[in-house]
């Protein structure tokens, strides 16, 4: 038996597919007061910084209580120890020194009776040639622009990169982490695709390129994977794997840094 | 006998591209099964059905096969020529059912089943890289095994106008698979290094009542259940609800035949929402607001429920063709089912975060269908 069907109201169905959004109150739990350690050693001569704070409930404002009174130090693989002293509350700084490519640094933070340690190895620097801008591929209306980065990836070595973007001195709240699994040895032209900050001609854009080691890459990559997903995606979001033991929120990263600023035309 | 080829994908580029050529090795396997069963009538009331299925999988070369430890590091690597056996699995799957007639109208049943599965779907829809991957059992991935016991009571009454059943079940799951945190999945040549293995359990009660005859008929089905998973590397090694765990699942269907030409129908469904992981706190790293999570799948999406109604008008009888009109309204009371919940910095209140729900099908949807058969 043959069968014919007509759906004259298919158009109505399509129209009703418009989504609607609203802010909701989910009665989320109260997870707060846990230690967050953010340690960075960079390849420019200056005071290196380690930040200690605590997490707050989802419903609080985005202000994070600093953690004072910790004992913080970083030791390199020549057994030179750099002691960090607390300046503003929760901000621990060293006397000026320069992080070296290939050196492994060990961070030690003693706070609240516990000792937290982490190691990170500074990779060789890769030069960021230039940053560019072009019409936004997803939304080219009203002349919206998109930023790209251009650099030569060194062949036959694994490289990991993190980019940070500021638009008119405000940091874009988006993690950009990439490795060279598919681009080893290539000249890389990469678009920093994000939808949180609109970029227009006349804006000043600053991009920092960091060369990071593999565990730090895994940390940022996990955060990047989760930032658009939301919890309904199928794989549950989770805290990114920290390289600090015992596990706390945050990371310790020895990385190279290079910054380029441009005026969007 | 089934022959499986799994081709995860390739990238082909040219010399000026930013990307390298990448090709993920294909995997080949043969799956075989044999089945034997027998039924045995002990007396007029008690019967047994029993048997077993023998399933086997042969994973074959060519290819390079790495073996990974729990941390995902390669512990050994071996290259196999085309057609060479890499790994074989034999699984015996016994089945057993006993039925006992209590009376002409009622019976009891009890059963045990083992099932194994050699093709596994890995699901990751984290939206920046939505990816479903199929993988075969291998030197790293063991066949998934489920053992289920169930028992039920079945009864017809009012001269078979009504049919009722109640069943309880318990299922034990072995060799469950999930991704580790921070997995990069697209075209990954070591995808098996990103997997973590655990166990699970599912149990529940199913109730079903159906009216089979009369001007008004329909059915009511209700399931109370729980499905939980346990992985050493996830949720501190504690049981957590599976995403699709449904505590309550209710469906009601009614059909009323007014006369030869008009009939009306309605259905209502209600289900507990998916188990999901929501942030419980937040902190800042790299100048970016970051959410903290304390329990895997510790929250529930709102329950979903919906009422649909419909009416069918049969056309006048013709010898050569038959036509009918169906008028329906989907989601009569415009229930909003959440489709996606995102957590973000507030766009209206500076320096705070908010949860935003996106939903679709928030209006009743009328439909008209003309059916023409010839």
């Amino acid at each position: 038996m043959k069968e014919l069907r007509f759906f004259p109201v298919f158009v109505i169905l399509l129209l009703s597919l418009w989504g609607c959004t609203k802010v909701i109150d989910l009665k989320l739990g109260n997870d707060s007061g846990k230690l967050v350690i953010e340690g960075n050693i960079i390849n420019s001569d200056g005071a290196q910084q380690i930040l200690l704070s605590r997490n707050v409930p989802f419903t609080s404002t985005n202000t994070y209580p600093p953690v004072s009174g910790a004992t913080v130090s970083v030791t390199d693989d020549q057994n030179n120890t750099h002691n960090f002293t607390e300046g503003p509350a929760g901000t621990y700084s060293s006397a000026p020194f320069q992080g070296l490519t290939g050196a492994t640094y060990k961070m030690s933070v003693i706070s609240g009776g516990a000792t937290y340690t982490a190691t990170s190895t500074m990779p060789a620097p890769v030069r960021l040639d230039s940053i560019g801008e072009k019409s936004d591929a997803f939304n080219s209306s009203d002349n919206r622009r998109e930023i790209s980065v251009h650099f030569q990836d060194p062949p036959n070595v694994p490289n990991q990169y993190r980019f940070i973007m500021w638009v008119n001195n405000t940091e874009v709240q988006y993690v950009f982490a990439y490795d060279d699994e598919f681009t080893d040895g290539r000249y890389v032209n990469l678009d920093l695709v994000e939808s949180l900050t609109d970029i227009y001609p006349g804006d000043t854009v600053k991009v920092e390129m960091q060369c990071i080691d593999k565990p730090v890459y895994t940390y940022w990559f996990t955060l990047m994977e989760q930032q658009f997903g939301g919890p309904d995606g199928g794989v549950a979001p989770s805290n990114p794997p920290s390289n600090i033991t015992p596990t706390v929120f945050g990371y310790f990263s020895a990385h190279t840094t290079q910054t380029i600023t441009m005026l969007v035309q | 006998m089934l022959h499986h080829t799994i081709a995860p994908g390739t990238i082909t580029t040219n010399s000026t591209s930013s990307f390298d050529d990448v090709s993920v090795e294909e995997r080949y396997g043969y799956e075989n099964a044999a089945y034997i069963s027998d039924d045995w009538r002990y007396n007029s009331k008690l019967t047994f059905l029993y048997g077993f299925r023998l399933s086997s999988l042969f994973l074959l070369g060519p290819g390079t096969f790495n073996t990974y430890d729990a941390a995902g590091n390669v512990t050994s690597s071996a290259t196999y020529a085309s057609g060479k056996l890499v790994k074989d699995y034999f699984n015996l799957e016994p089945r057993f059912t006993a039925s006992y007639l209590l009376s002409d109208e009622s019976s009891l049943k009890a059963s045990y089943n083992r099932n194994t599965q050699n093709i596994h779907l890995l699901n990751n829809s984290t939206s920046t890289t939505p990816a479903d991957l199929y993988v075969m059992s291998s030197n790293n991935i063991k066949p998934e095994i489920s053992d289920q016991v169930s028992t039920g009571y079945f009864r017809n009454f009012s001269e078979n106008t009504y049919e009722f059943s109640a069943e309880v079940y318990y299922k034990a799951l072995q060799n469950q698979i999930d991704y580790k945190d921070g997995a990069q999945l697209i075209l990954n040549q070591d995808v098996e290094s990103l997997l973590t293995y655990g166990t699970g359990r599912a149990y529940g009660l199913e109730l079903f009542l159906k009216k089979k005859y009369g001007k008004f008929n329909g059915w009511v089905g209700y399931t109370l259940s729980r499905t939980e998973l346990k992985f050493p590397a996830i949720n501190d090694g504690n049981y957590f609800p599976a995403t699709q765990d449904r505590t309550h699942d209710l469906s009601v269907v009614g059909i009323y035949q007014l006369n030869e030409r008009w009939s009306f129908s309605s259905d209502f469904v209600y289900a507990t929402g998916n188990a999901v992981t929501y942030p419980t706190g937040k902190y800042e790293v790299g100048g970016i607001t970051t959410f903290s999570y304390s329990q895997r799948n510790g929250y529930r999406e709102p329950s979903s429920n919906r009422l649909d109604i419909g009416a069918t008008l049969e056309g006048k009888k013709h010898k050569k063709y038959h036509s009918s009109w169906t008028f329906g309204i989907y989601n009569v009371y415009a229930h909003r089912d959440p489709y996606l919940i995102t957590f973000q910095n507030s766009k209206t209140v500076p320096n705070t975060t908010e949860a935003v729900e996106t939903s679709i099908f928030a209006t009743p949807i009328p439909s008209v269908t003309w059916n023409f058969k010839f």
Side-chain angles (χ1 to χ4, degrees):
Chain A
M1 188 185 288
K2 293 170 193 161
E3 203 166 306
L4 284 179
R5 279 166 174 262
F6 297 92
F7 295 98
V9 287
F10 196 62
V11 177
I12 299 175
L13 194 136
L14 277 180
L15 283 174
S16 65
L17 277 172
W18 291 111
C20 38
T21 62
K22 65 171 180 181
V23 174
I24 52 170
D25 179 10
L26 284 172
K27 310 268 183 296
L28 297 172
N30 182 346
D31 179 25
S32 63
K34 290 184 182 153
L35 183 62
V36 181
I37 300 176
E38 198 177 354
N40 290 296
I41 300 295
I42 60 175
N43 66 336
S44 62
D45 196 5
Q48 310 283 349
Q49 275 194 343
I50 292 173
L51 308 174
L52 268 59
S53 60
R54 295 194 190 283
N55 72 340
V56 299
F58 184 85
T59 45
S60 299
T61 58
N62 299 351
T63 43
Y64 306 98
V67 173
S68 289
T71 305
V72 178
S73 66
V74 169
T75 306
D76 65 21
D77 41 15
Q78 308 296 317
N79 264 330
N80 302 310
T81 296
H82 305 276
N83 290 312
F84 285 61
T85 52
E86 191 171 7
T91 301
Y92 298 79
S93 303
S94 69
F97 76 95
Q98 182 177 8
L100 299 175
T101 286
T104 297
Y105 295 91
K106 184 179 179 190
M107 176 184 74
S108 163
V109 172
I110 303 170
S111 176
T115 303
Y116 304 90
T117 59
T119 58
S120 179
T121 302
M122 186 177 291
V126 173
R127 200 177 87 86
L128 176 60
D129 267 357
S130 62
I131 63 175
E133 46 111 357
K134 59 183 182 182
S135 192
D136 189 322
F138 289 101
N139 187 351
S140 59
S141 62
D142 56 21
N143 209 14
R144 206 173 293 189
R145 314 301 283 174
E146 188 173 271
I147 302 300
S148 57
V149 292
H150 309 277
F151 59 93
Q152 173 67 50
D153 182 79
N156 305 321
V157 283
N159 296 92
Q160 301 86 27
Y161 308 100
R162 175 183 170 223
F163 296 93
I164 307 166
M165 180 157 68
W166 290 264
V167 176
N168 300 325
N169 285 321
T170 301
E171 183 177 344
V172 175
Q173 295 274 308
Y174 194 86
V175 177
F176 303 96
Y178 306 95
D179 67 6
D180 64 350
E181 188 179 351
F182 303 135
T183 57
D184 185 42
R186 297 272 174 166
Y187 192 84
V188 178
N189 304 293
L190 192 67
D191 298 334
L192 301 183
V193 179
E194 55 87 25
S195 57
L196 299 171
T197 304
D198 297 335
I199 301 168
Y200 295 107
D203 286 339
T204 300
V205 172
K206 182 169 83 171
V207 174
E208 178 186 349
M209 173 167 162
Q210 299 179 350
C211 297
I212 55 180
D213 70 8
K214 182 80 181 166
V216 173
Y217 167 75
T218 303
Y219 181 88
W220 291 115
F221 180 80
T222 307
L223 280 183
M224 182 171 85
E225 286 286 276
Q226 292 175 5
Q227 57 198 352
F228 275 147
D232 299 328
V235 159
S238 58
N239 300 313
S242 175
N243 59 349
I244 302 171
T245 47
T247 295
V248 288
F249 295 127
Y251 63 92
F252 174 59
S253 172
H255 58 259
T256 67
T257 173
Q258 184 194 347
T259 302
I260 293 181
T261 303
M262 77 180 295
L263 180 67
V264 178
Q265 301 292 326
Chain B
M1 187 163 80
L2 280 171
H3 177 221
H4 299 296
T5 302
I6 292 184
T10 55
I11 299 179
T12 309
T13 64
N14 60 37
S15 58
T16 57
S17 165
S18 284
F19 294 95
D20 299 326
D21 287 355
V22 174
S23 164
V24 182
E25 283 183 353
E26 295 187 349
R27 288 289 183 245
Y28 307 94
Y30 281 98
E31 198 169 18
N32 302 286
Y35 181 67
I36 294 175
S37 74
D38 182 39
D39 57 14
W40 175 40
R41 185 170 289 271
Y42 175 74
N43 59 28
S44 63
K45 295 196 167 197
L46 185 60
T47 53
F48 297 98
L49 176 66
Y50 55 92
F52 62 85
R53 183 174 175 269
L54 179 68
S55 77
S56 62
L57 177 84
F58 301 95
L59 178 67
L60 303 175
T64 301
F65 294 80
N66 293 331
T67 304
Y68 304 96
D69 64 13
N73 302 311
V74 177
T75 55
S76 68
S77 182
T79 303
Y80 291 85
S82 179
K84 285 277 180 256
L85 180 69
V86 180
K87 183 78 190 174
D88 56 358
Y89 285 106
F90 292 91
N91 276 296
L92 195 63
E93 302 172 16
R95 284 102 200 259
F96 175 82
T97 304
S99 306
Y100 183 74
L101 285 177
L102 294 164
S103 69
D104 284 351
E105 293 184 319
S106 61
S107 65
L108 283 175
K109 266 185 205 166
S111 69
Y112 163 74
N113 283 301
R114 165 171 281 209
N115 282 294
T116 66
Q117 187 183 329
N118 281 307
I119 300 288
H120 319 279
L121 174 64
L122 304 179
N123 174 265
N124 173 1
S125 324
T126 304
S127 72
T128 44
T129 54
D132 279 354
L133 284 179
Y134 282 96
V135 291
M136 239 182 284
S137 298
S138 71
N139 46 324
N140 296 298
I141 301 169
K142 296 192 181 76
E144 288 177 69
I145 298 174
S146 86
D147 290 295
Q148 175 168 322
V149 288
S150 66
T151 177
Y153 173 72
F154 300 81
R155 185 188 165 103
N156 293 350
F157 49 96
S158 297
E159 287 158 352
N160 283 341
T161 307
Y162 293 94
E163 181 185 306
F164 170 79
S165 67
E167 282 185 274
V168 290
Y169 68 91
Y170 181 91
K171 204 189 273 191
L173 308 165
Q174 297 174 52
N175 304 331
Q176 301 296 295
I177 307 171
D178 203 343
Y179 287 114
K180 286 177 196 159
D181 299 335
Q184 195 289 110
L185 307 171
I186 304 292
L187 284 168
N188 194 305
Q189 303 182 43
D190 298 311
V191 88
E192 292 181 11
S193 72
L194 306 173
L195 304 178
T196 178
Y197 307 96
T199 58
R201 61 186 182 195
Y203 46 94
L205 165 72
E206 292 176 356
L207 300 173
F208 185 72
L209 176 67
K210 184 176 185 179
K211 182 169 185 291
K212 290 152 80 176
Y213 311 110
K215 270 199 145 186
F216 178 80
N217 57 65
W219 67 86
V220 180
Y222 171 74
T223 302
L224 174 70
S225 69
R226 177 160 287 176
T227 306
E228 294 173 306
L229 299 170
K230 185 177 177 180
F231 290 80
I234 298 173
N235 205 38
D236 299 327
N238 297 317
Y239 274 108
F240 61 90
T243 303
Q244 290 79 14
D245 175 44
R246 297 260 172 284
T247 311
H248 305 287
D249 193 326
L250 173 72
S251 64
V252 182
V253 174
I255 300 159
Y256 182 71
Q257 189 80 39
L258 179 69
N259 54 37
E260 288 228 327
R261 295 193 64 192
W262 280 102
S263 66
F264 301 93
S265 64
S266 176
D267 68 85
F268 172 78
V269 290
Y270 171 93
T272 304
N274 280 349
V276 288
T277 307
Y278 288 153
T280 47
K282 59 187 172 183
Y283 55 101
E284 191 175 72
V285 285
I288 293 169
T289 304
T290 304
F291 300 120
S292 56
Y293 302 91
S294 46
Q295 204 188 1
R296 172 73 73 104
N297 285 355
Y299 289 86
R300 289 283 170 175
E301 289 184 339
S303 62
S304 65
N305 55 82
R306 195 188 74 230
L307 178 71
D308 309 328
I309 56 173
T312 300
L313 173 65
E314 299 289 343
K316 291 202 173 104
K317 289 222 160 76
H318 276 264
K319 278 183 184 170
K320 292 194 169 170
Y321 63 88
H322 176 76
S323 71
S324 67
W325 287 89
T326 301
F327 309 91
I329 300 175
Y330 177 89
N331 198 4
V332 173
Y333 56 84
H335 180 75
R336 283 165 57 111
D337 271 346
Y339 171 71
L340 182 72
I341 293 170
T342 45
F343 299 90
Q344 60 188 36
N345 278 312
S346 172
K347 290 185 168 113
T348 49
V349 188
N351 213 26
T352 60
T353 45
E354 63 189 11
V356 176
E357 174 189 286
T358 304
S359 52
I360 55 171
F361 287 111
T363 59
I365 298 165
S367 70
V368 180
T369 307
W370 185 52
N371 245 300
F372 184 77
K373 296 174 186 174
F374 58 94

